[in-house]
Amino acid sequence: MYICQICKKNPATIHLTDIHNNVKKEVHLCAGCAAEKGFNMQSAASLPQLLGIKAKKQSTEEPRPNRFAPEEDIICPKCGYRWSDFKNKGRLGCSEDYHAFREKLRPLIANQLSATPIGPGPLHRGKYPGKKSSVDPVTREIRNLELDLRRAVDEERYEDAARIKSELRELRGYAGTPAKAADKTELN
Amino acid sequence: MKIDDCLHRDGEWLKGAGPHCAIAVSTRVRLARNLARRRFPTHPDHSDRRKVLDEIKDAFEKTPSGPAFTWYELDGQMPIDRRILMERHLISRELAEGSGPRAVAFDEPESVAVMANEEDHLRMQCLRSGLRLREAFDCVNQLDDDLSGRLAYAFDPVYGYLTSCPTNVGTGLRVSVMLHLPALVMTQHIEKVFRAVYEMRMAVRGFYGEGTEAYGELYQISNQVTCGRTEEDILADMEATIQSVILYEEKARRELAGNAKNRLEDRIWRSWGALKNARLMSSEEAMRHLSSLRLGLVMGMMNKFELRDLQRLFLLSQPAHLQRIKGRELDSDARDAERAEFLRKRLGPEAN
Ligand SMILES: [Zn+2]
Ligand SMILES: [Zn+2]
């Protein structure tokens, strides 16, 4: 089991690999040390960014707090866990911590490197307790066919690819989903 | 329940069946959930733990599938029994080596396992042999739906399902596929795979998950992003990435068979020789040779046994299983001797 390379104590849960001139570098961190380093854990940060070699421009939504300013500790009113405990252990104490520490946790969790940065609203896009999952069978079938198409093209089975494409066209018409730019170019 | 009952059956992931089973050994999908108003198991104050366990047990037994499960509390059990469950991929290392009230519930095919009081209150996983992401997800998702009516989950509309480590928040969904990639290792393309996988924001882990070594050229690829995307997006990304790694390994296998057939056959038959003759065999070496045999088998260069039998040897030559079969504790040297003998017998004269 990898131990966090910074605190040399907690199990690492964030693994980064960078390959440069055929040399593989790995960084393994616990969530606490990643937070300490200002690392956005829901995105793939590059090693230089993580190690602070090159300050990469983050999204413009909020200025980065001055890392060198002495930091105020925060205590969760519900369970007594502190922000410093989190940095120490890489784990939280109770679900209320997400509120108590929200100013610090949110930028860690926000997915800033995606094509569309997530604004101030909800970060969660998945299922809700008690609700059935939202995937309809047509969308699922489209996804499966897209994969089949890719495989057929990779394997140069062009007749199969043409058949899958026409099936896809039909299904997308049914679901009202626009074709992806990617599979337009694939067969050319 | 006696752990020995497990020894006589093959876990779901050992079946050596399912789509792309020549490369994709198994698929695992897990959901992390916590109970509202209870401290996470990672909180230093452990006074909630017993209550959490009882609440989960009670809710779980009332689900439609609950009665078919074995509920097994780990506290006070022998370390070797816990280790057997770990080797069977039913519990994590953290649960095996932890302390305090904690449990696992699993079904007879050893396909679904629910861990209670690991680093989250609930970790539900479904294992399937081969590449079967949707099937595994549907299974664990159904269990989650069944439980969510009976347990109040810690959930927040902004963050989603709240987990003790923020790297799991949101969907709480971790999908991992165990791939056998010997040809990419032999052709030295494996680093390119690591790079591509990393660019897709996924992680590569070893045989027993988080931070373990990739023995036997077995790699687990899993998603790192759990928040900000739907479950379906995460599954679709994983499926696409895994499919392309599989294609890449297939290509490397074709290349080896075309340009380096001698080298390939030499490796396979050398491993056969070692397994049939060695007097000492570490578990790492055993896995390396079994990996060669697996490759030879699925490439049609060897037909001495079924894939399923081979997969079983991967498991039975692990330290805890080996000691259990022998019926006593063995130190590391004795294990290496026992392992060598066990493998020689299993691949015995009738397999020649
Ligand atoms: Zn650390
Ligand atoms: Zn708290």
Side-chain angles (χ1 to χ4, degrees), chain A residues 123-141:
Chain A
L123 304 172
H124 181 57
R125 305 235 162 113
K127 76 184 272 198
Y128 271 58
K131 286 188 194 165
K132 295 283 168 196
S133 82
S134 54
V135 188
D136 67 289
V138 178
T139 310
R140 182 167 277 210
E141 187 54 25

Side-chain angles (χ1 to χ4, degrees), chain B residues 78-235:
Chain B
M78 294 204 304
I80 188 170
D81 287 347
R82 307 200 300 249
R83 168 89 199 188
I84 280 177
L85 295 175
M86 185 191 124
E87 289 178 356
R88 301 184 79 82
H89 291 256
L90 290 171
I91 64 174
S92 63
R93 181 185 293 253
E94 187 166 347
L95 201 74
E97 294 172 1
S99 61
R102 62 202 195 286
V104 60
F106 55 91
D107 60 351
E108 173 124 356
E110 298 185 22
S111 168
V112 181
V114 178
M115 291 192 283
N117 277 341
E118 205 237 28
E119 73 168 51
D120 292 303
H121 293 144
L122 257 176
R123 291 217 161 174
M124 302 169 254
Q125 72 164 29
C126 178
L127 270 170
R128 287 274 193 264
S129 56
L131 179 64
R132 289 190 283 181
L133 292 175
R134 315 283 163 145
E135 209 183 305
F137 175 74
D138 287 347
C139 161
V140 84
N141 194 39
Q142 181 62 51
L143 183 59
D144 181 50
D145 288 343
D146 292 342
L147 279 172
S148 72
R150 295 174 172 87
L151 291 168
Y153 284 155
F155 179 85
D156 180 282
V158 172
Y159 294 109
Y161 293 93
L162 304 174
T163 51
S164 81
C165 184
T167 48
N168 295 311
V169 78
T171 57
L173 171 65
R174 181 89 66 219
V175 180
S176 40
V177 179
M178 198 189 298
L179 297 175
H180 186 224
L181 304 175
L184 287 171
V185 173
M186 285 176 81
T187 55
Q188 298 179 335
H189 288 313
I190 194 79
E191 299 261 293
K192 281 188 208 155
V193 172
F194 289 159
R195 184 187 309 157
V197 164
Y198 163 65
E199 275 167 13
M200 293 297 294
R201 303 180 190 186
M202 288 165 195
V204 184
R205 298 174 165 89
F207 188 59
Y208 286 115
E210 202 80 78
T212 57
E213 291 297 319
Y215 292 133
E217 294 152 320
L218 292 165
Y219 296 87
Q220 287 194 58
I221 297 182
S222 55
N223 61 304
Q224 291 212 79
V225 174
T226 55
C227 188
R229 321 205 60 203
T230 64
E231 287 84 359
E232 188 61 24
D233 288 339
I234 293 170
L235 290 170

Side-chain angles (χ1 to χ4, degrees), chain A residues 76 78-81 93-97:
Chain A
C76 168
K78 180 82 192 300
C79 75
Y81 210 71
C94 82
S95 53
E96 284 299 310
D97 296 7

